[in-house]
Amino acid sequence: SPYSKEEIIIASGIEKGKSLILLDVDEAQAAVEKNLPYTDEVVIKRRLPGTVVIRYGETSKSYAVPANGGAYALTDSSLKVLELVSDVPEGITLIEGVLPVKAELGTVLSFANESDGDKEEQTDRTRDVVLKVLGAIPAEETVNINMVDFSSFNNIYLIYKERVVMRFGESTDIEPRIDLGFRSLAVEIGIDPSVSGIITSTIPKEASFNPEDPDDIKELVLYKGGEWQEPELPVNPDSETEETTENDE
């Protein structure tokens, strides 16, 4: 465990000598998870007359989400913020195209703007879409994903092992298309680690693979910090017209 017994007790706010009857268990559980971000599913139980039992699991960092001030929020699979760092660590998937309005340690990222209405009823559509997409990626493949881009909810894509772009299109009913895309990925490049290209799974029950050089794939060029140059269209000689001028005699 990254935390000692003493740290857990202090984080809970439970003090020796205080009445257990007055102990707010829900508040103490939430305090542990917020103050010690790597804790998960904290359960606190009272055993009268004077014992408190604290059980908890551990979570781990999976994603890096750009936050305000040039920092990155390292989060677990639920988008709970575990650390704020200046650089994305190796092996962590970058989430691009979304900027949280709140990134506090020990809390789940919030992308929704606060309104004058009831905050309990306020929905965070951006977070829902991000979690839906990330949850549809096979767990064993998460470590191979360099980046998932949510700049447009009509054109969601990810980069796999810095050599394959997987395009899934719009966010509506995207889960089956992600599943099909990864099944296609296993068939197309599973036996050849040198293959690069684009997997397109934007239509239900249809996925295709187009082998391409990494330097010819816009998303890969931009991800690696390059500048994308639109390829020049070939000139059709039949479409050229010859200009002539007449000289006055």
Side-chain angles (χ1 to χ4, degrees):
S1 171
Y3 306 116
S4 67
K5 176 181 176 180
E6 290 72 20
E7 287 177 307
I8 297 292
I9 294 173
I10 292 172
S12 72
I14 299 173
E15 300 179 11
K16 290 183 179 181
K18 296 290 184 178
S19 171
L20 294 187
I21 296 176
L22 300 177
L23 172 64
D24 188 327
V25 171
D26 292 336
E27 183 179 291
Q29 290 172 170
V32 173
E33 291 198 21
K34 185 177 189 305
N35 295 323
L36 304 177
Y38 280 92
T39 58
D40 187 37
E41 297 182 349
V42 177
V43 176
I44 298 177
K45 292 186 177 181
R46 289 173 283 219
R47 287 183 181 172
L48 299 176
T51 301
V52 174
V53 177
I54 303 177
R55 293 190 177 93
Y56 64 96
E58 297 176 16
T59 189
S60 58
K61 49 183 179 284
S62 300
Y63 307 110
V65 183
N68 290 321
Y72 292 91
L74 299 186
T75 79
D76 65 5
S77 59
S78 70
L79 297 183
K80 177 186 177 183
V81 182
L82 308 179
E83 297 181 41
L84 294 172
V85 298
S86 57
D87 298 296
V88 179
E90 187 175 350
I92 298 298
T93 301
L94 176 64
I95 306 299
E96 280 283 22
V98 290
L99 183 66
V101 297
K102 184 171 67 174
E104 296 180 1
L105 287 175
T107 64
V108 174
L109 287 175
S110 172
F111 300 91
N113 291 316
E114 294 184 358
S115 64
D116 295 331
D118 187 346
K119 295 180 183 178
E120 300 249 324
E121 297 179 358
Q122 178 179 302
T123 59
D124 193 330
R125 178 171 177 264
T126 297
R127 185 171 62 206
D128 291 344
V129 171
V130 172
L131 287 173
K132 177 171 66 173
V133 171
L134 298 180
I137 297 172
E140 67 275 11
E141 292 288 10
T142 301
V143 69
N144 297 317
I145 309 302
N146 306 109
M147 181 191 76
V148 186
D149 191 281
F150 293 93
S151 298
S152 169
F153 282 0
N154 292 319
N155 183 31
I156 295 171
Y157 70 89
L158 62 78
I159 294 176
Y160 178 88
K161 290 188 174 180
E162 296 189 349
R163 58 190 176 90
V164 175
V165 171
M166 304 180 70
R167 297 172 177 168
F168 301 114
E170 65 176 355
S171 61
T172 304
D173 299 323
I174 196 173
E175 298 98 318
R177 285 180 274 121
I178 293 176
D179 176 68
L180 182 60
F182 274 94
R183 285 192 280 126
S184 176
L185 176 76
V187 171
E188 298 291 350
I189 72 169
I191 60 176
D192 189 345
S194 66
V195 173
S196 62
I198 300 171
I199 284 183
T200 302
S201 183
T202 57
I203 302 174
K205 300 181 180 180
E206 184 176 320
S208 62
F209 177 67
N210 183 30
E212 286 194 29
D213 186 282
D215 293 337
D216 294 330
I217 303 175
K218 179 179 181 179
E219 293 92 337
L220 289 181
V221 172
L222 295 176
Y223 170 72
K224 295 180 180 180
E227 293 186 8
W228 175 251
Q229 301 292 330
E230 291 290 346
E232 296 184 3
L233 297 176
V235 177
N236 185 352
D238 296 335
S239 66
E240 292 184 347
T241 58
E242 183 178 343
E243 294 184 5
T244 60
T245 58
E246 295 183 0
N247 294 325
D248 295 332
E249 294 184 356

